[in-house]
Amino acid sequence: MNKTKRIILLIARGIGVLLIAFLIFILVSPMLINLETAKEKILIHFSEQTGGELLYEKVDLFYFPRPHAVIYQVSLSLPGNVTGTLANLKVYPAIFSLFAGDVKISKLQLITPNFNINLPFRQKEKKVAISPSFAKEMLTNILAYPALNKSSFLIEVKDGRLNLYDENDVSFKFININANTRLLLTRLTIDLACKSNLWKNISIKGLINTHLFTSKGLVDLTLFNPKILTDYLFPDSGFKVSNAGINLNLDFKSDKHHALHAKVQSHTSHLTLLKENENTVIKAKSFICKLDMDEEKTKVYFPDLVLDYPKLKASGQFLLDRMVKQTSLDINAKKVNVGSTRKVALALAGNSGITKDIFDIVKGGNVPQITFKSFGKSPADLGNMKNIFIRGRLRDGNIFVPAALLDLKDVDGNVTVSNGILVGKNIKARLGNSFGTKGMLELGFEKNISFYVETVIQADLAQLPPILERLVENKPFLKELSQIKELKGSALGKMVLDGNKQLVDVSVYASKINLRARYGRIPYPLQIKGKRFAYKGTQISFDELNAVIGKSSFSQLSGGITWKDEPHLKIKSSLSRLQMEEIYPWLLSFKDFGSALKNIETINGLVTLSSLNFNGLVSTPERWRIGTNGEFDNIVIDSPFFSYPIFLDTGKFNVTDSITLDTVKKIFFVESTIFIWGKSHFGLEGNIIFSKGKPLLDMELKADSIDTKKVEQIISCIMRDKKPWPLPVNGVFKIKSKIFTNEEFKFNPVHADIFLKDNEVFIDFTKANLCGISVPGYIKITDDHVEGYFYPLAENQKFAPALSCLFKKDHIATGKFNLTGKLSSVSKDKDWAKALNGNLKFTAESGRIYRFGLLAKILAMLNITEIFRGKVPDLVEEGFAYNSIKAEGYFKNGKFIINEWVIDGSSMTIVCEGYIDPVREKIDMVVLVAPFKTVDFIIKHIPLINEVFGGKLISIPFKVTGDPADPYVVPLHPEDVGAGIFGLLKRTFMLPVTIIQPLIPDEKDKDTESVIEQIDP
């Protein structure tokens, strides 16, 4: 027999001996054990060990396969409001203790147990520090339970049920409970599985050393839904668990040094939180977490966290060192969806704290990779922003700048958070239709911590006004900003925001500007294109801008405006084209311009400014500094005060300014300006100086003709509804006109210097020719009177053209004349002619008179007498020949009083005395006519007369009265002839004179008057 067969034979013999011994034990043990006593002791022992009350229907004892008692239809009541029923309760005592008469339970088997536990009233939570010592204390309390205070035991549960109730009948239900708990000396093993309304399945397997307090185990949880549990534990919580399905596995162990090591794994889990009627879903694809904890340190490490919602992948660790009081948290995440993460984080963290601070700013986007670090002395310090460092890159992000109310979209760039400040570099972002690049962002999370935003931006200018309205507090600026409407366009530039939640400094630097807008102070559309624009604090500056206002254009604009104290404007332009048909109505909208120019209806044409410099406070026009030069073309000015439009053909002007003793002087130069008004052509040049006082005028006007009606129209237009004094300007205005006309006279030429000073206008006529008569002199006009002095002078001038010019009729008289005089007038009203005074002296020689109303009527009167019928010369046909004419007299209050007037004719002599009042249109003269060329004829044919006169000169008197334009001539009785005129005639001829009164037939009066009317010029 070989060795193998012998071994098999020995094993078979041993098994046989054991079977025989077991059979003997079964047969003999009932006789050795007192069965009734054992049954009673088992029940008593169970009650003592559990502390409860046991009711049952019956108890059976069995010996096979080992001695045990089966208790049927058990009702059980235990301390702690625990009640329950069991279909069967199998109690297995220790066999050897039975032989000694003692009962020690070694095994319990619960068949279909159904227990109900009333939970105690919930009390305010007490914070408990989780540590290995705390876990050891809990385990010790559990093992101290009398039923478990054994060297060995086994508890089995089959198909059990457990219901937990609170005062509100909230129940936790556990079914299909199958458990196996064994204690062997110091080794406690647990194997449990069940279903519940908290989860679908749970499996717990573990091993505990009750002496060393070491442990290890596995927990497998399927579709855990903590809704009922969280509602019970946190009834007042702001958010609830709406739905969940959590799958996880827990692998743990602890060593003799009380160090706990655990590993948690989860897969395909979801959790839905409800807060303020809004669901927040968390979906985990996989999760691995490792825990190492001892009395000194706690380390939580999660190498893999993959969430489908919020979308992210993360790993990290938490360290807590209790000895040195240090704690830290490090997290590395990838592929983070900020929007979903933000929603979940805010739902979990609530409306305060670091989470809210961060996600109030970062609202959306994707983060390819992010690092989170925090440190402190305790876990509570991890939430302090000053202890947190975050670094990552944001793509397609959404960042909100709270202080500036800027909602940035499509944000891309590197972001760090350190010492409570978020810093972004190389940022790309979009704000509405504006796009920013190369951006820099600094934001503080605490109140009054400054923030800084800088970016190169391709801006949609329509968005700019609302942003500035939110950020800028300067009221003058906001007032002007409110005038901008319908802003459209774009600009490339840089924007800087520097400030805090209370105050923000805005800076804008723009180039490649292209905008269109409506500005309230300009009635026409505004377009601007150019290169440079800057806004910072209380200042705007610009350069190389081209603007179009309606039909007008401004090129190469530069300058700026500041409003720190008062708005200060500075503008420079190299070329501007102003269409006056639009610019003039706009100027009328300004108060000062409107009141001064309201009587000019329209101004059309083009004004070109080749340069423009403007500098000054907007509120003090008198201190504005203006420099410009330019020209105009085809300007047409129309006003109801003008008979004809004024046409300004071409012209140049120049305006400069200077500062003397803190006084700004603005000089407006006009160069070679040509304009047309009616049929007159004008040239204007000179300057106007605008200083602290009144404008100072130094201008010269040249014209081919000036009509006094136009001058009166201009004066009426300017002075309408105004008192002229004091004068609005000072200075001198020089006029040179080839022709100066009024309703009656025509001067050719007129040169005059008009001096303007406060309450006085002084007009110096340096050259004035009235129909060949030089009329120099001057007029002085003040606020209370007008005075004028003139010195008419004519030497050896032709009579015919002078009379034709004066009376606007030809063939009046011929010859040559001389005129001297001195005239003056001082008046307090406009009728200065009534105050005319002075003297005149007139001589003429060698000519003929063809048309002279007074002379014609006298000759007609002579022609109808019996003496001179047919012998009087015909004025119209042959004229009245004269050798000389001499007149001398003086003006007094507008009336010309004749001292001497003698016409030495070829056929007769005429002398006159009296006065002519052209102002009042009156004449009163005595005229003596001496037809001495007919004396021989009279004497020869009328001997009686010859005897009467004795060879003396015959003279016939006439009385002239009425209107000088149509005088009334009648014969005068010789006795009514004054000695003065009689002596004048005697002195003229150096002969004795006899005055006669010829007979004039009555029947011919009518015909005579008819003839007079025909002869009258």
Side-chain angles (χ1 to χ4, degrees), residues 542 557-562 567-574 593 609 611-629 655-657 664 666:
F542 47 86
L557 284 169
S558 63
I561 182 170
T562 60
H568 186 281
L569 181 62
K570 183 178 181 182
I571 297 176
K572 182 178 181 181
S573 173
S574 62
F593 284 100
L609 305 178
S611 69
L612 173 65
N613 290 279
F614 176 92
N615 190 352
L617 295 175
V618 176
S619 61
T620 54
E622 69 277 4
R623 292 185 57 81
W624 285 355
R625 300 181 60 188
I626 301 175
T628 184
N629 60 75
V655 179
T656 64
D657 60 18
V664 179
K666 292 167 281 295

Coordinates of all heavy atoms in Angstrom, one line a residue, residues 542 557-562 567-574 593 609 611-629 655-657 664 666:
F542 N -8.8 116.1 -29.0 CA -8.9 115.4 -30.3 C -7.9 116.0 -31.2 O -7.4 117.1 -31.1 CB -10.3 115.5 -30.8 CG -10.9 116.9 -30.8 CD1 -10.7 117.8 -31.8 CD2 -11.7 117.3 -29.7 CE1 -11.2 119.1 -31.7 CE2 -12.2 118.6 -29.6 CZ -11.9 119.5 -30.6
L557 N -9.4 118.9 -37.6 CA -9.7 119.5 -36.3 C -8.8 119.0 -35.2 O -8.6 117.8 -35.2 CB -11.2 119.2 -36.0 CG -12.3 120.0 -36.7 CD1 -13.6 119.4 -36.5 CD2 -12.3 121.4 -36.3
S558 N -8.4 119.8 -34.4 CA -7.7 119.4 -33.2 C -8.1 120.4 -32.0 O -8.6 121.5 -32.3 CB -6.2 119.5 -33.4 OG -5.8 120.8 -33.7
G559 N -7.8 119.9 -30.8 CA -8.2 120.8 -29.7 C -8.8 119.9 -28.5 O -8.5 118.7 -28.4
G560 N -9.7 120.5 -27.8 CA -10.3 119.8 -26.7 C -11.1 120.7 -25.8 O -11.3 121.9 -26.1
I561 N -11.7 120.1 -24.8 CA -12.6 120.8 -23.9 C -12.3 120.3 -22.5 O -12.2 119.1 -22.3 CB -14.1 120.8 -24.2 CG1 -14.9 121.6 -23.2 CG2 -14.5 119.3 -24.3 CD1 -16.3 121.8 -23.7
T562 N -12.2 121.2 -21.5 CA -12.1 120.7 -20.1 C -13.2 121.4 -19.3 O -13.6 122.5 -19.6 CB -10.7 121.2 -19.5 OG1 -10.6 122.6 -19.6 CG2 -9.6 120.5 -20.3
P567 N -16.4 125.0 -18.2 CA -16.1 124.5 -19.5 C -15.1 125.4 -20.3 O -15.4 126.6 -20.4 CB -17.4 124.3 -20.2 CG -18.4 124.2 -19.1 CD -17.9 125.1 -18.0
H568 N -14.0 124.8 -20.7 CA -13.0 125.6 -21.5 C -12.8 124.9 -22.8 O -12.5 123.7 -22.8 CB -11.7 125.7 -20.7 CG -10.7 126.5 -21.3 ND1 -9.9 126.1 -22.4 CD2 -10.3 127.8 -21.1 CE1 -9.1 127.1 -22.7 NE2 -9.3 128.1 -22.0
L569 N -13.0 125.6 -23.9 CA -13.0 125.0 -25.2 C -11.7 125.5 -26.0 O -11.4 126.7 -25.9 CB -14.2 125.4 -26.0 CG -14.4 124.8 -27.4 CD1 -14.5 123.3 -27.3 CD2 -15.7 125.4 -28.0
K570 N -11.1 124.6 -26.7 CA -10.0 124.9 -27.5 C -10.1 124.1 -28.8 O -10.2 122.9 -28.8 CB -8.7 124.5 -26.8 CG -7.4 124.9 -27.6 CD -6.2 124.6 -26.8 CE -4.9 125.0 -27.6 NZ -3.7 124.6 -26.8
I571 N -10.1 124.8 -30.0 CA -10.3 124.2 -31.3 C -9.3 124.8 -32.3 O -9.1 126.0 -32.3 CB -11.8 124.4 -31.8 CG1 -12.8 123.7 -30.9 CG2 -11.9 123.8 -33.2 CD1 -14.2 124.0 -31.3
K572 N -8.8 123.9 -33.1 CA -8.0 124.3 -34.2 C -8.4 123.5 -35.5 O -8.5 122.3 -35.4 CB -6.5 124.1 -33.9 CG -5.5 124.5 -35.0 CD -4.1 124.3 -34.5 CE -3.1 124.8 -35.6 NZ -1.7 124.5 -35.2
S573 N -8.5 124.2 -36.6 CA -8.8 123.6 -37.8 C -8.0 124.2 -39.0 O -7.8 125.4 -39.0 CB -10.3 123.7 -38.1 OG -10.7 123.2 -39.4
S574 N -7.6 123.3 -39.9 CA -6.8 123.8 -41.0 C -7.7 124.2 -42.2 O -7.3 125.1 -43.0 CB -5.8 122.7 -41.5 OG -6.5 121.6 -41.9
F593 N -26.5 136.2 -31.1 CA -26.5 136.3 -32.6 C -28.0 136.6 -33.1 O -28.2 137.4 -34.0 CB -26.0 135.0 -33.2 CG -24.5 134.9 -33.2 CD1 -23.9 134.1 -32.2 CD2 -23.7 135.6 -34.1 CE1 -22.5 134.0 -32.2 CE2 -22.3 135.5 -34.1 CZ -21.7 134.7 -33.1
L609 N -12.7 128.7 -44.5 CA -11.7 129.1 -43.5 C -10.5 128.3 -43.7 O -10.5 127.0 -43.6 CB -12.3 128.8 -42.0 CG -13.6 129.5 -41.7 CD1 -14.0 129.1 -40.3 CD2 -13.5 131.0 -41.8
S611 N -7.8 128.5 -41.9 CA -7.3 128.1 -40.6 C -8.3 128.7 -39.5 O -9.0 129.7 -39.8 CB -5.9 128.7 -40.3 OG -6.0 130.1 -40.2
L612 N -8.3 128.0 -38.4 CA -9.2 128.4 -37.3 C -8.6 128.1 -36.0 O -8.1 126.9 -35.8 CB -10.6 127.8 -37.4 CG -11.5 128.0 -36.2 CD1 -11.9 129.5 -36.1 CD2 -12.8 127.2 -36.4
N613 N -8.4 129.0 -35.1 CA -7.9 128.8 -33.7 C -8.9 129.4 -32.8 O -9.2 130.6 -32.9 CB -6.5 129.4 -33.5 CG -5.5 128.6 -34.3 OD1 -5.0 127.6 -33.8 ND2 -5.1 129.2 -35.4
F614 N -9.4 128.6 -31.8 CA -10.4 129.1 -30.8 C -9.9 128.6 -29.5 O -9.6 127.5 -29.3 CB -11.8 128.6 -31.1 CG -12.8 129.0 -30.1 CD1 -13.5 130.1 -30.3 CD2 -13.0 128.2 -29.0 CE1 -14.5 130.5 -29.3 CE2 -13.9 128.6 -28.0 CZ -14.7 129.7 -28.2
N615 N -10.0 129.5 -28.5 CA -9.5 129.2 -27.1 C -10.2 130.1 -26.1 O -10.2 131.3 -26.3 CB -8.0 129.3 -27.0 CG -7.5 128.7 -25.7 OD1 -8.3 128.3 -24.8 ND2 -6.2 128.7 -25.5
G616 N -10.9 129.5 -25.1 CA -11.5 130.3 -24.1 C -12.6 129.6 -23.3 O -13.0 128.5 -23.7
L617 N -13.0 130.2 -22.2 CA -14.0 129.7 -21.4 C -15.4 129.9 -22.1 O -15.6 131.0 -22.6 CB -14.1 130.4 -20.0 CG -12.9 130.2 -19.1 CD1 -13.0 131.1 -17.9 CD2 -12.7 128.7 -18.7
V618 N -16.2 128.9 -22.1 CA -17.4 129.0 -22.8 C -18.3 130.1 -22.2 O -19.1 130.8 -22.9 CB -18.2 127.6 -22.8 CG1 -19.5 127.7 -23.4 CG2 -17.3 126.6 -23.4
S619 N -18.2 130.3 -20.9 CA -19.1 131.3 -20.2 C -18.7 132.7 -20.4 O -19.4 133.6 -20.0 CB -19.2 130.9 -18.7 OG -17.9 131.0 -18.1
T620 N -17.5 133.0 -20.9 CA -17.0 134.4 -21.0 C -16.6 134.7 -22.4 O -15.4 134.7 -22.7 CB -15.8 134.6 -20.0 OG1 -14.8 133.6 -20.3 CG2 -16.2 134.5 -18.6
P621 N -17.5 135.0 -23.3 CA -17.2 135.2 -24.7 C -16.2 136.4 -24.8 O -15.4 136.5 -25.8 CB -18.5 135.5 -25.3 CG -19.5 134.9 -24.4 CD -18.9 135.0 -23.0
E622 N -16.3 137.4 -23.9 CA -15.4 138.5 -24.0 C -13.9 138.2 -23.9 O -13.0 139.0 -24.3 CB -15.8 139.6 -23.0 CG -15.4 139.3 -21.6 CD -16.5 138.4 -20.9 OE1 -17.5 138.0 -21.7 OE2 -16.4 138.1 -19.7
R623 N -13.6 137.0 -23.4 CA -12.2 136.6 -23.2 C -11.9 135.5 -24.2 O -10.8 134.9 -24.1 CB -11.9 136.2 -21.8 CG -12.0 137.3 -20.8 CD -11.6 136.8 -19.4 NE -10.3 136.2 -19.4 CZ -9.2 136.9 -19.3 NH1 -9.2 138.2 -19.3 NH2 -8.0 136.3 -19.3
W624 N -12.7 135.2 -25.2 CA -12.4 134.2 -26.1 C -11.2 134.6 -27.0 O -11.1 135.8 -27.4 CB -13.6 133.9 -27.1 CG -14.7 133.1 -26.4 CD1 -14.7 132.6 -25.2 CD2 -15.9 132.8 -27.0 NE1 -15.9 131.9 -25.0 CE2 -16.6 132.1 -26.1 CE3 -16.5 133.1 -28.2 CZ2 -17.9 131.6 -26.3 CZ3 -17.8 132.7 -28.5 CH2 -18.5 131.9 -27.5
R625 N -10.3 133.7 -27.3 CA -9.2 134.0 -28.2 C -9.5 133.3 -29.5 O -9.6 132.0 -29.5 CB -7.9 133.5 -27.6 CG -7.6 134.1 -26.2 CD -6.2 133.6 -25.7 NE -5.2 133.9 -26.6 CZ -3.9 133.4 -26.5 NH1 -3.6 132.6 -25.5 NH2 -3.0 133.7 -27.4
I626 N -9.6 134.0 -30.6 CA -10.0 133.5 -31.9 C -9.0 133.9 -32.9 O -8.6 135.1 -32.9 CB -11.4 134.0 -32.3 CG1 -12.4 133.5 -31.3 CG2 -11.8 133.4 -33.7 CD1 -13.8 134.0 -31.6
G627 N -8.5 133.0 -33.7 CA -7.7 133.3 -34.8 C -8.1 132.6 -36.0 O -8.3 131.3 -36.0
T628 N -8.4 133.3 -37.1 CA -8.8 132.6 -38.3 C -8.6 133.4 -39.5 O -8.4 134.7 -39.4 CB -10.3 132.2 -38.3 OG1 -10.7 131.5 -39.4 CG2 -11.2 133.5 -38.2
N629 N -8.5 132.8 -40.7 CA -8.4 133.5 -41.9 C -9.1 132.7 -43.0 O -9.2 131.5 -42.9 CB -7.0 133.9 -42.4 CG -6.1 132.7 -42.5 OD1 -6.3 132.0 -43.5 ND2 -5.3 132.4 -41.6
V655 N -8.6 136.8 -38.8 CA -8.8 137.2 -37.4 C -7.7 136.7 -36.6 O -7.3 135.5 -36.7 CB -10.1 136.5 -36.9 CG1 -10.4 136.8 -35.4 CG2 -11.3 137.0 -37.7
T656 N -7.1 137.6 -35.8 CA -6.0 137.2 -34.9 C -6.3 137.7 -33.5 O -7.1 138.6 -33.3 CB -4.6 137.7 -35.3 OG1 -4.7 139.1 -35.3 CG2 -4.3 137.3 -36.7
D657 N -5.6 137.1 -32.5 CA -5.8 137.7 -31.1 C -4.4 137.7 -30.4 O -3.5 137.0 -30.9 CB -6.8 136.8 -30.4 CG -6.4 135.4 -30.2 OD1 -5.2 135.1 -30.4 OD2 -7.3 134.6 -29.9
V664 N -7.4 139.8 -23.4 CA -7.4 139.0 -24.6 C -7.9 140.0 -25.7 O -8.9 140.6 -25.6 CB -8.3 137.8 -24.6 CG1 -8.3 137.1 -25.9 CG2 -7.9 136.9 -23.5
K666 N -8.8 140.1 -29.8 CA -9.1 139.3 -31.0 C -9.2 140.3 -32.1 O -10.0 141.3 -32.1 CB -10.4 138.5 -30.8 CG -10.3 137.4 -29.8 CD -11.6 136.9 -29.4 CE -12.3 137.8 -28.4 NZ -11.6 137.9 -27.1

